[in-house]
Amino acid sequence: MGCVVVQSETETTVTGPDPKAGGLKGIEEVDMEEMTDAFLTASVLAAVAKGKTRIVGIANQRVKECNRIRAMIDELAKFGVETVELDDGLEIIGRPLSELKQGVSVHCYDDHRVAMAFSVLGAVVPGTIIEEKRCVEKTWPNWWDDLENKIGLKVEGVQLEPQTSEASASASHSEAPQKHEPSPSVILIGMRGTGKTTVGNMAATALSWPCIDADAFFESKHATPVREFVLKHGWAAFRSAEVDVLKELIREKPKGHILSLGGGVVESPEAREVLKGYAREGGPVVHIVRPLEDVIAYLDAETSRPAYDESVGDVFRRREPWFEECANYVFDNTFDAEGGVEGTEVPTRSAGTFGEVQRFFGHVTGERPNLAENLESNDKTGSRSYFLSLTYPDVRQAYPHIEALTEGVDALELRVDLLKSPRDYEKFGDGIPSRAYVQQQVSALRRVSSLPIVFTVRTKAQGGAFPDDKPKEAVELLRLALQMGVEYVDVEIGLPEKDVKELK
């Protein structure tokens, strides 16, 4: 970074570069796997360094006293520092010290290392407030006294205003309106091979919740593998026992868990009623979806579960309506597929699978709502927000320019009424994008940006392209947006009142 480092047997002396000569320089990439706890201090240094610094090898920092990667992203943003979350780290885009916002109040998530790291930044940014000052007592009880008495910084206590909600990386809960207790457990359903286990484990890491695989729970409870249980007792007996396991998990693990169910649980009418009841009461039931061809490819190589008595395609088509009937959310797990248009590549700063899992589950559980900062309930600054309207027929056409387009933007508007799949380009008359195409487009946008989405179906009467006489189809697309965890849904007042109330 341009410093001069001198080491002896007993001490290390670091002399920073002359500001007139350009100051600190960003590091293209640094693997901090051997000293992951130090990445927080490195991040605040990178915030004032020239250029970008990419820190990798620190995935374990998501499950410390808080999700430290998310904490650094959220708190650096308050200073005006842009970051990009990676699967195993983050990228910090440095800014000149003179451009950093002053008077920032840093939430520390009761994490001593967050407090100490931002103390370093606060040493050069006037008016910085470090909340939860006592969290440093875990490792350095005299931290604040030593900063003042040994280093010479001015440190003084302040009285903070009561907070109405917690920042996003905290282990505390930002409660969303729901009938269940805060942080109701998330139930995952979907075909075998759609990635429920992988997504479930990622979601558990993102939320710092345990993940329970229902089949593993079943095998532990009955002391026999699922395959052997079916061979010995038959499918009917297994389905009955499977429903009992589902009820037990909901009863014994009502909140703070990821519950991943077997693909065939929806074969039982009783299980479907249990799932629908859980969803009606506000519990998240998430349908994990993946293209049929991907599911078939996975199942052709999988041998640990009982084989189907029919083709995978027939099972898929029979169960899909049941999954849709039971779920109140949909997670599209095609996130790691290639996604360009006419050779266009996905930008290197794409959100990544873990980033989207973290955003989706943080948002739908209310743990970390992905909202524009000035629209959060605890923001009283009255500051403006800005969104960019994407009017492409296929949002992937924006990939080459997405970084420039989203600079300084608080949200992205997806103009659903203007979407048109390539196969429909030559069709005349009013066109309504299919549910599948809209779902693909939302997922494509998520791949390259974690910004909140404003989902808009603008009718012709309102200056858009959606047919005025198709309110039912418009409402169905708005409902899909809510199921996919879209943050803002633009609902026209002219839609049937009954349908609007159901959306709420």
Side-chain angles (χ1 to χ4, degrees):
M1 301 185 82
C3 299
V4 176
V5 182
V6 178
Q7 288 185 304
S8 68
E9 292 183 1
T10 58
E11 61 184 30
T12 300
T13 302
V14 180
T15 304
D18 185 347
K20 295 179 181 179
L24 291 170
K25 296 180 292 185
I27 305 173
E28 183 175 347
E29 182 169 299
V30 54
D31 187 341
M32 297 192 68
E33 186 175 4
E34 297 300 319
M35 49 185 306
T36 56
D37 286 348
F39 97 91
L40 298 93
T41 305
S43 296
V44 299
L45 293 176
V48 296
K50 184 177 181 180
K52 300 177 182 179
T53 297
R54 189 179 181 92
I55 301 175
V56 298
I58 57 170
N60 70 321
Q61 291 294 305
R62 289 192 172 96
V63 288
K64 294 290 186 174
E65 282 83 344
C66 70
N67 181 341
R68 287 176 172 169
I69 295 176
R70 188 73 243 176
M72 297 307 293
I73 289 172
D74 289 347
E75 302 311 307
L76 284 174
K78 295 179 180 179
F79 291 86
V81 177
E82 184 182 355
T83 55
V84 179
E85 185 166 6
L86 310 173
D87 282 350
D88 66 339
L90 76 165
E91 182 180 89
I92 303 104
I93 297 86
R95 298 189 66 171
L97 183 58
S98 60
E99 295 182 8
L100 265 58
K101 295 178 183 177
Q102 299 182 9
V104 169
S105 185
V106 178
H107 182 61
C108 296
Y109 315 98
D110 205 27
D111 188 327
H112 59 127
R113 292 195 182 273
V114 175
M116 292 175 178
F118 279 99
S119 299
V120 175
L121 190 58
V124 292
V125 181
T128 300
I129 297 172
I130 308 296
E131 301 172 13
E132 303 144 285
K133 65 177 184 178
R134 296 191 63 178
C135 65
V136 299
E137 294 175 2
K138 177 177 180 179
T139 51
W140 198 328
N142 296 325
W143 173 258
W144 306 113
D145 291 336
D146 287 348
L147 284 183
E148 187 164 37
N149 299 327
K150 295 182 179 180
I151 299 180
L153 299 179
K154 179 177 173 54
V155 180
E156 60 181 348
V158 295
Q159 187 66 39
L160 297 175
E161 293 287 336
Q163 297 296 309
T164 57
S165 65
E166 298 292 341
S168 67
S170 173
S172 300
H173 309 307
S174 179
E175 297 181 7
Q178 53 197 2
K179 296 180 182 178
H180 278 277
E181 295 184 61
S183 308
S185 292
V186 177
I187 296 177
L188 305 184
I189 61 174
M191 276 287 291
R192 187 194 308 172
T194 53
K196 295 190 299 294
T197 299
T198 299
V199 171
N201 286 330
M202 285 187 179
T205 298
L207 297 172
S208 298
W209 288 3
C211 181
I212 297 179
D213 183 289
D215 283 349
F217 186 87
F218 181 99
E219 292 177 344
S220 176
K221 180 180 178 68
H222 292 275
T224 183
V226 169
R227 187 183 186 93
E228 291 183 15
F229 188 97
V230 172
L231 291 174
K232 183 176 181 179
H233 302 285
W235 279 108
F238 171 70
R239 293 296 176 213
S240 177
E242 187 178 41
V243 173
D244 291 338
V245 165
L246 171 60
K247 292 178 179 178
E248 181 179 348
L249 287 173
I250 292 176
R251 183 177 63 252
E252 300 296 330
K253 313 291 183 184
K255 62 179 183 177
H257 284 73
I258 304 294
L259 308 176
S260 179
L261 305 187
V265 67
V266 293
E267 295 279 359
S268 164
E270 185 180 359
R272 295 200 296 270
E273 290 304 314
V274 171
L275 290 169
K276 287 188 288 185
Y278 188 77
R280 274 194 303 270
E281 292 298 312
V285 179
V286 181
H287 179 199
I288 309 297
V289 298
R290 200 169 177 84
L292 176 58
E293 57 269 24
D294 291 349
V295 173
I296 292 174
Y298 171 81
L299 293 181
D300 283 345
E302 203 261 357
T303 59
S304 63
R305 305 293 172 85
Y308 294 133
D309 296 328
E310 54 192 314
S311 73
V312 174
D314 287 343
V315 175
F316 185 95
R317 284 181 282 273
R318 183 178 69 254
R319 291 179 180 174
E320 256 332 79
W322 290 335
F323 289 133
E324 294 176 5
E325 173 188 339
C326 295
N328 51 358
Y329 291 103
V330 177
F331 183 82
D332 190 337
N333 193 27
T334 55
F335 218 66
D336 55 356
E338 294 299 323
V341 175
E342 297 181 355
T344 298
E345 294 183 357
V346 178
T348 55
R349 282 175 56 185
S350 62
T353 304
F354 181 84
E356 172 55 8
V357 168
Q358 184 179 50
R359 183 213 64 82
F360 177 89
F361 286 91
H363 188 74
V364 303
T365 59
E367 289 287 288
R368 289 190 290 274
N370 189 43
L371 304 176
E373 184 174 338
N374 73 313
L375 296 180
E376 293 180 353
S377 60
N378 63 335
D379 185 278
K380 297 179 173 59
T381 63
S383 57
R384 292 179 179 271
S385 60
Y386 300 88
F387 70 80
L388 174 76
S389 183
L390 296 177
T391 57
Y392 294 90
D394 184 336
V395 296
R396 294 173 296 177
Q397 294 168 338
Y399 278 3
H401 318 291
I402 197 68
E403 293 182 21
L405 289 172
T406 56
E407 186 73 29
V409 170
D410 299 294
L412 291 172
E413 181 186 41
L414 180 63
R415 281 291 301 274
V416 179
D417 54 301
L418 301 179
L419 294 177
K420 189 172 249 187
S421 68
R423 69 183 65 178
D424 294 331
Y425 281 171
E426 305 301 323
K427 291 184 179 179
F428 293 98
D430 295 334
I432 298 177
S434 69
R435 176 187 170 96
Y437 185 65
V438 174
Q439 180 173 310
Q440 177 196 83
Q441 290 291 291
V442 173
S443 296
L445 193 51
R446 294 296 191 197
R447 294 189 68 206
V448 295
S449 176
S450 60
L451 287 171
I453 291 177
V454 180
F455 189 97
T456 301
V457 183
R458 184 76 69 235
T459 60
K460 289 186 174 182
Q462 298 293 328
F466 204 85
D468 294 313
D469 59 349
K470 300 291 184 182
K472 180 179 178 182
E473 289 80 355
V475 170
E476 281 304 309
L477 292 178
L478 295 174
R479 185 171 288 113
L480 171 64
L482 295 177
Q483 290 173 335
M484 294 191 73
V486 168
E487 293 84 356
Y488 302 105
V489 178
D490 185 348
V491 182
E492 289 188 5
I493 197 169
L495 291 173
E497 184 178 356
K498 176 178 178 293
D499 293 327
V500 172
K501 287 183 177 179
E502 286 182 359
L503 284 175
K504 292 171 64 179

